[in-house]
Structure formats: C-alpha cells, structure tokens
Amino acid sequence: MAVTQQLARVSAEYLAACRQSAEQSPDGDHHWDPPAEDCLDLDWAPSMLEQACELARLDAVHLDALRRATNGDTDVDLDFLNATPHAIAFFSNSVATALDPDAVARMSELLGEIDIRAILHSVHDSGKVSTLGYGFTGDPTEYLLGHFGALRTFYAEAARRDLLVVLWWD
C-alpha cells in the first residue's frame, strides 16, 4: 500500500460534528467521511515540490507557504481524528493536522503567487531534475505541474468557501 498525502476541505461545523460523534461513541468513532469532491490525494508530490522549490531558491515566505499547505498546523485540535481505532492517519507516527480558514486563505494567496513552471524550468536548467523524487523515474515535470495545480485550485476553493483544510498521510 502506497503512503500518500491526503487533504480534505471541511467546515468548522462538520469538524465539530465529527468531534461530538467521537465523544459520544463508545469506541470513539468520529464518522469522518468528507465528500469525495472535497478531498485531494497529492500522492508523493509534496516532498518533490518542496525539493524543487528549494533547488530553485524560492523565497522563504513562499517556501514556508508550500510547506504549511502540505503539512498543516497543530493549532486545530484534531485529537479525536488521531485516536485509535479510528485514526485517519495510518502511516507510522503520522497525525492529522489542519489549517483554519484564515490560514487557508493566506496559503491560497501565496500559492497563487508561485510560478511553478519557472521553478521547474530553473531546476531543469540546473541539471538537477533527476535528483527530484526519491526513486521517481523519468521527468517529473508534468507530474509536479498537475499536482501543484490541483493543490492551488483546492486551496482557492477552500478559501472561497471559508473552509478548513485537514491533512494526513494515508
């Protein structure tokens, strides 16, 4: 089973309902099941995107935004999503994290300012494209363009709808 980065756009009300369900259930079942159209599977792209941005020397503000957009924060209480036997993050010591709507809006803005094509072009020009992605074979440009575009669109929609983004590795 491959371990991939998962994201879900949810309202504060949905998260509260899941928390309440976990508190009321004898086994802590939170009934986490966001709609498929509000979920995104980023596969293994987050680390490759970060690596490409580091190689291209993306400024610290935008690099931090990419990291936060793919790592979340621990400011939102998600203990109920991380509790066994119903933990949503199955990978090793991974836990679910989240970004609140204000952070989502800021990440959306900053992601929108990143020129991923220029970054990948820079990595190509430096001859370091083959160093991206541990074990990735071939040119990852299209893969990374597609996943970054999906991430940017996902955050833009979450910001437009004033939603939280919950992240985990599964």
Side-chain angles (χ1 to χ4, degrees):
M1 173 172 97
V3 177
T4 61
Q5 173 83 73
Q6 305 295 311
L7 291 84
R9 295 181 291 233
V10 298
S11 67
E13 294 78 17
Y14 179 80
L15 205 55
C18 288
R19 182 178 289 112
Q20 183 177 13
S21 181
E23 290 169 358
Q24 293 175 348
S25 171
D27 67 349
D29 188 355
H30 41 68
H31 298 283
W32 174 260
D33 190 22
E37 62 271 12
D38 284 322
C39 295
L40 176 64
D41 183 341
L42 275 183
D43 199 35
W44 297 345
S47 63
M48 293 175 70
L49 287 166
E50 182 179 335
Q51 187 180 14
C53 290
E54 288 171 347
L55 289 170
R57 299 177 195 232
L58 181 64
D59 66 274
V61 170
H62 290 91
L63 182 58
D64 183 56
L66 175 64
R67 287 177 178 147
R68 283 186 71 202
T70 57
N71 292 326
D73 287 331
T74 56
D75 297 343
V76 178
D77 175 19
L78 298 178
D79 288 346
F80 69 96
L81 290 178
N82 294 319
T84 56
H86 301 287
I88 65 172
F90 298 110
F91 175 65
S92 181
N93 293 327
S94 177
V95 295
T97 60
L99 292 171
D100 66 31
D102 291 337
V104 166
R106 181 69 178 141
M107 294 311 101
S108 176
E109 176 186 332
L110 291 169
L111 289 172
E113 296 171 357
I114 296 173
D115 186 346
I116 196 66
R117 286 188 183 279
I119 287 167
L120 294 172
H121 184 73
S122 172
V123 173
H124 268 280
D125 286 353
S126 72
K128 296 182 179 176
V129 73
S130 65
T131 67
L132 294 177
Y134 317 98
F136 192 94
T137 57
D139 184 346
T141 301
E142 291 304 314
Y143 172 83
L144 294 176
L145 285 171
H147 282 80
F148 185 81
L151 179 67
R152 184 185 323 211
T153 300
F154 189 83
Y155 268 89
E157 179 64 13
R160 186 187 72 73
R161 293 168 48 200
D162 199 33
L163 298 175
L164 293 99
V165 171
V166 176
L167 306 95
W168 69 99
W169 287 89
D170 184 13

